Amino acid sequence: MKKITDITALIKLLLLMFLFFFIYDLGNTKRLELLINPKYFLLIFLSEIILLIFLIYLFFNIFSWKKDVLKSKSSNKRNFYILIIIILLLIFQFSPNIDIFFLNTAKLKRFNTSYAKSKTNLTVNNQKKNIYEKENNSEIKINKDETSENNNIDFVITDNNFISLINSIHQNIDDYMDKTVRIKGFVFKIEDLDKNHFIISRMAMFCCAADASVIGLICNIKNLNFNFIENDWFEIEAVITEETLCLNSENRILPVLKVINYKKTDRMLNPFVYPNYK
Amino acid sequence: MIQTFAVIAVSIFLEGLFFILIGAIISSFIEVFVADDIIKKLIPKNKFLALTIVSLLGLIFPICECGIVPVIQKLLKKGALLYICITLLFSSPIVNVVVIVSTYFAFSDNIQIVILRISGGFTISYIIGFIISVFIKKKNVFKQDLFILQDISCSCQNHSQKDDQCSSLGNSYNLKSVINKNNKMIINIKSVIQHSIDEFFDTGKYFIIGVLITSLIQSLIPRNQIINFGKSFAISKLFMIAFPYVLSVCSNTDAFIARSFLNQFSTSALLCFMIFGVMFDIKTTIMLKKIFKISFIFRLLIFVISLTLMYSFFVDFLEKIL
């Protein structure tokens, strides 16, 4: 009976198998899009093909894989692989649970305030203004079909236009004043806002879950007798107004949604929105 | 916390996986198909010309910071000069078609930022290459085992040192006795796969350690608080150097993250993020540890930080006078 001459080859084979099926499972259970921006899916697919080739090659050559005669520290190496397997198993034992990640990320207050440009702090140079103008001209597409459901709604913020539209509203408040909008997201509260305000938010993912941050629009619920609990999901209809609010110890004139209608909804399977680069 | 850690770790790992694999494959191609003396012959004798060509290689050879590490390791083993490899290490992930396009899209057609970023990357990697060529003695910087392996024609586990035999392909093949070219090609391809597997695991372990450290830091520290702290003008540049170092995002997409700081930081601070972040981050540092001594990596880090800061001050100066 043939013997495996190099135990590290067996460890490599197991790791490759583990990695291949783990990524396959992530894709199969649609959890991949919760970890990485869908524009990377092609690269993940190519990685899977390469891993499969490695796997097949290693599988058929496992018995003839020779020990490394040049490196004397093979036992250290083996220990390292075993350590990596244990770490990976530990991580994947807690298989990426986006719900808990989502709550933790919110807890870490990763609110992306970059879009919240203060009117009183208009120090952007012409170059930056050009960026906004070009972006607003090129990126924002408000689909008329999306507005046809309800004549009272001027536009709907959807998954596809979430980042670009919110960016645009923050940069050009005047263009959107008194418009009625429908938006769906989760309730996010930050210390700077009083009990009459919360942020209707989504998680923005530019690249992967590591850079995910919460983005959204501040809502005013002063006239509503309802307690919006953090992390609950709502679909709200609101009028865009502006208010002076203190964020990060700085007074800013910000777009604020005056909520006129709200409906509690189920949490969306994918809390992320992705930037539209086109 | 462990869930946040797991999600961040897996997502960064998935993001870099393809580039690690490609880096491993390219380095294996170099190993198998490129003869030792070819690299030396290809590089121009004139130092300045050589640095210019290498700094622009990324335009036809786009590879990110994770993938370039195994490639430069292989080039060093093949006898490429240290300053050439270091220039390639820093320039390839930034003077790169993919990075140019992604920066262009991220900053909504703002060609100025694209030019400033690419020229910054080119200049800094060129200067570092030049400094190394003048001041650094080659032998002092490598980990010892890198040069033990350099003496043999192939550094994989399964090539023997003297008789040119490759035992990785099932039975021992004597390469000199291969009769026809097709067989040789098949053997070479098999050899590339075998090298790639070894290289993938060799580089991958450093990559994983880097990913784990980055994920741990990210899952512990509230990012928004750090950003607020970093907005102070006095430290904004330093912050925009330290932040991408911890964040360890891929060079192909970091422009989109930088763009989200557009209102909070100056153009020069954003350039610090986009230039330094591509050249150095936690995972790259750990991966470089495989090749270089820590003291040399530290010196490189100081060079890159200093030059990035100087470049950002130069951009501030340009903004004032223009």
Side-chain angles (χ1 to χ4, degrees), chain B residues 51-67:
Chain B
L51 281 171
T52 309
I53 290 172
V54 172
S55 298
L56 296 172
L57 258 186
L59 293 172
I60 49 167
F61 188 59
I63 188 159
C64 78
E65 72 273 22
C66 307

Side-chain angles (χ1 to χ4, degrees), chain B residues 172-190:
Chain B
S172 290
Y173 286 85
N174 188 330
L175 295 177
K176 286 172 186 167
S177 69
V178 173
I179 299 165
N180 61 51
K181 285 183 181 177
N182 286 342
N183 277 351
K184 192 173 179 181
M185 184 52 79
I186 290 167
I187 289 169
N188 279 340
I189 288 169
K190 283 181 171 180

Side-chain angles (χ1 to χ4, degrees), chain A residues 125-139:
Chain A
N125 56 29
N126 289 333
Q127 171 192 321
K128 285 179 184 172
K129 278 182 186 167
N130 287 339
I131 292 172
Y132 304 137
E133 283 161 13
K134 281 183 182 177
E135 182 175 273
N136 295 336
N137 291 337
S138 62
E139 281 191 8

